[in-house]
Amino acid sequence: MHRHGDEPWRTVSTLPSQNVIDATDARLLLALSEHPRATTVALADQVGISRNTAQARLAKLEEGGGLSSFERRVDTRSLGYPMTVFAVVQVVQSRLDQVAAALADIPEVLQVHSVSGPNDLVVHAVAVDADDLYRIAGQILAIPGVQRTNTSVVTREIVPYRTGPLLRRLAKS
């Protein structure tokens, strides 16, 4: 859970039990995903709740982490980065925080997940081309504490990032 003042690389994508999204929140989020430019009044009308209720629920979702950044909607290809890569990284455990901070300083690094298993981190990054990927991979390998990396280039996105199916299931409850 991301708390005010925590470093962004220490966030965890889970909600505490008191911030679990209910069916009304799910319907509100579905309406927002279908009409991202809709006003709060329009969203409230679509869901069948008052404007004040919609506004309060959206604010609670933003504060509690249930509604994250809209940055995810920006297509990195339109920013000049057509190549998407995932790198698994093994690190010296005592240097994990420093490695995470250094990865956060590389603009092409979009996300970093700590994982269980033989690797420690999964890095989601973008590159302009193969030469740019070589440069970025070199930056990652040069971080003190990084022991080894293994990078895979995405050839095609088969299932895009989505939460709609989960929201629809929750909205029915």
Side-chain angles (χ1 to χ4, degrees):
M1 175 176 60
H2 180 69
R3 292 184 270 302
H4 182 69
D6 281 359
E7 295 86 352
W9 56 87
R10 292 187 186 202
T11 60
V12 177
S13 60
T14 59
L15 293 170
S17 59
Q18 67 268 23
N19 289 337
V20 173
I21 294 172
D22 65 14
T24 302
D25 289 336
R27 288 191 298 275
L28 187 57
L29 291 172
L30 275 171
L32 182 61
S33 70
E34 292 166 5
H35 307 285
R37 294 183 179 172
T39 65
T40 305
V41 171
L43 294 171
D45 286 344
Q46 186 174 346
V47 175
I49 58 178
S50 73
R51 180 198 58 82
N52 286 342
T53 300
Q55 193 166 7
R57 283 178 172 266
L58 287 171
K60 183 179 175 187
L61 287 166
E62 285 181 302
E63 291 168 13
L67 183 59
S68 63
S69 168
F70 286 96
E71 286 183 319
R72 194 178 290 276
R73 293 181 51 96
V74 177
D75 187 341
T76 55
R77 292 173 296 192
S78 69
L79 300 174
Y81 294 89
M83 184 179 282
T84 299
V85 300
F86 288 92
V88 292
V89 181
Q90 292 178 350
V91 302
V92 175
Q93 290 301 302
S94 63
R95 306 290 306 262
L96 186 59
D97 287 346
Q98 294 88 357
V99 170
L103 288 168
D105 287 340
I106 300 172
E108 294 86 359
V109 171
L110 304 179
Q111 266 182 314
V112 179
H113 294 279
S114 176
V115 295
S116 63
N119 297 296
D120 301 301
L121 303 172
V122 175
V123 177
H124 176 196
V126 292
V128 173
D129 55 26
D131 288 335
D132 194 37
L133 174 57
Y134 186 80
R135 176 189 61 80
I136 296 163
Q139 281 183 289
I140 294 171
L141 280 168
I143 296 171
V146 169
Q147 294 178 312
R148 180 176 304 142
T149 66
N150 188 343
T151 303
S152 297
V153 175
V154 173
T155 57
R156 180 174 63 147
E157 181 178 69
I158 297 173
V159 177
Y161 180 85
R162 64 200 181 127
T163 57
L166 298 172
L167 287 169
R168 281 188 283 284
R169 179 191 298 161
L170 186 58
K172 292 178 183 177
S173 56

